[in-house]
Amino acid sequence: MKLYSFWRSLASFRVRIALNLKGVAYELITVDVDRQQHREGAYAAVNPQMALPSLVLDDGTVLTQSLAILDYLDEACPGPALLPADPKGRARVRALAAMIACDAHPLTTPRVQRYLTEVLHLDDTARAAWLRYWAAEMLGAVEARLAGDGATGRFAHGDAPTTADICLAGHALFARNQGLDLGGAPTVQRVVEAAMALPAFAATHPLAQPDTPESLRRAPTSS
Amino acid sequence: MKLYSFWRSLASFRVRIALNLKGVAYELITVDVDRQQHREGAYAAVNPQMALPSLVLDDGTVLTQSLAILDYLDEACPGPALLPADPKGRARVRALAAMIACDAHPLTTPRVQRYLTEVLHLDDTARAAWLRYWAAEMLGAVEARLAGDGATGRFAHGDAPTTADICLAGHALFARNQGLDLGGAPTVQRVVEAAMALPAFAATHPLAQPDTPESLRRAPTSS
């Protein structure tokens, strides 16, 4: 498989984690979003939506949208399950994942930031406030879902990592990058720490990628 | 089951369609978003995220997030499948659904519109331009995915309605409400017309709901 990815793309991070949890080998192809490579013809030919990530299967099938790719990997690949077995548990995990992947992350992607800057002429302060607002809103909403719910375990759902933890790991990183303190969301903080301690999460951390700028790059760690 | 819904909530529309396709009986409970009822204590106790829809199962389990609910209904309820059987086909349908439910719709929800108005002080013209921009962008992106793809059939994927059509029906309505002409996305237009001709789609149309304002309400139709 080939994964079109960018080190700091949080949707790419999700798929990298899942591939690593499943133990699936893949070739990583960098699409440099900072240099607008996702909007160039070569990548647009892979994914006309010009969004990351895309996963190209060995038969050439192109899969897009991180949540759809995660479900595909869970259905098609052996290895630890990314979703619990019972439908209600699956619905809980999928709802947690969708809170982040539908209701929070899309508001902060490059195409939205471009609109804020180029059309609405927001300055850096107003743009940063936008990012922080949505990061904080979802941190609070997920904490409210996880805290005091018996279904929450060592991870977001029980004691094995799921799609919810995969999405949460990226959101926690994003929130920290916006200057938020996870201490106000202690259950999220605990769950994310447990997830990031796993090799599949640590190895795929945005700061530990081959395409991470050298000034930021570090060895895989758990934080 | 009880469905917390609002007539013009497109995420509620998705779940209403799925329940009708599956032939599942449900009690409809209106949460009037125009009167901010989704932010009041009674609904926040059901869904702390204060977003629609929520589906309450007969055992009291609360399911949230429309895509998670659709997957639950497909896994737990008999009736026609909302996803194809093969993992690659499922991934294609889920990607189409996520394009709308993750990358387009969340940008246009009440909480985002509130931020645009109250924090960024956008006037009605600028707010309408925002809505139209994201409606048009995704219409084009979905058209590019569907047009000329052999997997597209009478519906978005093959000849039976799926989760992709469910999401697309709402997006097409939204795009039309923003003044867009679907003629520029002829495959989307054709597929949505086929979907809206089905009783499960027509009966759950936002303008045919018990809580639709009387001045707008109409009998279920196919357009």
Side-chain angles (χ1 to χ4, degrees):
Chain A
M1 296 187 191
K2 291 183 196 173
L3 177 67
Y4 289 84
S5 164
F6 187 48
W7 63 280
R8 65 173 178 73
S9 152
L10 295 177
S12 302
F13 180 29
R14 288 177 206 144
V15 175
R16 293 197 303 262
I17 297 171
L19 288 164
N20 276 264
L21 278 172
K22 290 285 189 182
V24 174
Y26 59 98
E27 178 190 349
L28 194 92
I29 302 174
T30 293
V31 179
D32 190 330
V33 172
D34 289 334
R35 296 170 70 181
Q36 305 291 318
Q37 283 182 350
H38 60 303
R39 305 176 77 197
E40 290 173 4
Y43 185 63
V46 176
N47 177 4
Q49 202 194 342
M50 299 182 286
L52 286 175
S54 296
L55 184 69
V56 183
L57 306 183
D58 293 341
D59 71 357
T61 304
V62 179
L63 306 185
T64 64
Q65 290 287 338
S66 62
L67 290 187
I69 296 174
L70 262 52
D71 274 332
Y72 172 82
L73 293 173
D74 210 30
E75 291 174 353
C77 299
L82 305 179
L83 291 169
D86 62 307
K88 284 177 202 165
R90 295 163 78 84
R92 181 174 180 273
V93 167
R94 284 187 165 125
L96 287 163
M99 287 171 74
I100 293 158
C102 299
D103 283 349
H105 178 246
L107 300 171
T108 67
T109 49
R111 67 198 180 101
V112 174
Q113 292 198 49
R114 202 161 49 238
Y115 192 101
L116 296 177
T117 306
E118 294 177 8
V119 181
L120 301 184
H121 305 296
L122 259 56
D123 61 20
D124 286 352
T125 307
R127 200 168 48 86
W130 167 278
L131 299 177
R132 199 165 48 245
Y133 180 87
W134 300 117
E137 188 207 45
M138 198 46 66
L139 206 56
V142 175
E143 178 69 21
R145 266 307 276 271
L146 294 181
D149 182 339
T152 308
R154 188 171 154 230
F155 295 102
H157 190 87
D159 294 326
T162 64
T163 293
D165 301 284
I166 290 174
C167 292
L168 211 42
H171 190 73
L173 264 184
F174 176 71
R176 276 210 196 93
N177 285 344
Q178 305 317 312
L180 296 173
D181 180 1
L182 292 199
T187 319
V188 171
Q189 186 173 39
R190 175 179 66 71
V191 157
V192 168
E193 276 172 12
M196 292 307 303
L198 301 175
F201 284 69
T204 53
H205 190 291
L207 295 185
Q209 295 312 293
D211 57 346
T212 309
E214 213 165 327
S215 59
L216 300 171
R217 200 182 309 149
R218 62 182 207 198
T221 69
S222 63
S223 66
Chain B
M1 297 188 190
K2 289 183 198 174
L3 177 66
Y4 288 84
S5 165
F6 187 49
W7 65 278
R8 65 173 178 72
S9 151
L10 295 178
S12 302
F13 181 29
R14 288 177 205 143
V15 176
R16 292 195 305 259
I17 297 170
L19 287 164
N20 276 265
L21 279 171
K22 289 285 190 182
V24 174
Y26 59 97
E27 177 189 350
L28 193 93
I29 301 174
T30 294
V31 179
D32 189 331
V33 172
D34 289 334
R35 296 169 70 182
Q36 305 291 319
Q37 283 182 350
H38 60 304
R39 305 176 78 196
E40 290 173 4
Y43 186 62
V46 175
N47 177 4
Q49 201 194 342
M50 299 182 287
L52 286 175
S54 297
L55 184 69
V56 183
L57 306 183
D58 293 342
D59 71 357
T61 303
V62 179
L63 305 186
T64 66
Q65 289 289 338
S66 62
L67 290 187
I69 295 173
L70 262 52
D71 275 332
Y72 171 83
L73 292 173
D74 210 29
E75 291 173 354
C77 300
L82 305 179
L83 292 169
D86 62 306
K88 284 176 200 165
R90 295 162 76 83
R92 182 176 179 272
V93 168
R94 284 187 166 125
L96 287 163
M99 287 172 74
I100 293 158
C102 298
D103 283 349
H105 178 245
L107 299 171
T108 67
T109 49
R111 66 199 181 103
V112 173
Q113 293 199 48
R114 201 159 51 236
Y115 192 101
L116 295 176
T117 306
E118 295 177 7
V119 181
L120 300 184
H121 305 298
L122 259 57
D123 61 21
D124 286 352
T125 307
R127 199 167 50 85
W130 167 278
L131 298 178
R132 199 165 48 245
Y133 181 88
W134 300 116
E137 187 208 46
M138 196 47 65
L139 207 56
V142 174
E143 178 68 23
R145 266 305 278 269
L146 294 181
D149 182 339
T152 307
R154 189 172 155 230
F155 295 102
H157 190 88
D159 295 326
T162 62
T163 293
D165 302 283
I166 291 174
C167 292
L168 210 42
H171 190 71
L173 263 186
F174 176 71
R176 276 210 196 94
N177 285 344
Q178 306 316 312
L180 296 173
D181 179 0
L182 292 199
T187 319
V188 171
Q189 186 172 39
R190 174 179 66 72
V191 156
V192 168
E193 276 171 13
M196 291 309 302
L198 301 174
F201 284 69
T204 53
H205 190 290
L207 295 185
Q209 294 311 295
D211 57 346
T212 309
E214 213 165 327
S215 59
L216 300 171
R217 200 182 310 148
R218 63 182 206 198
T221 71
S222 64
S223 65

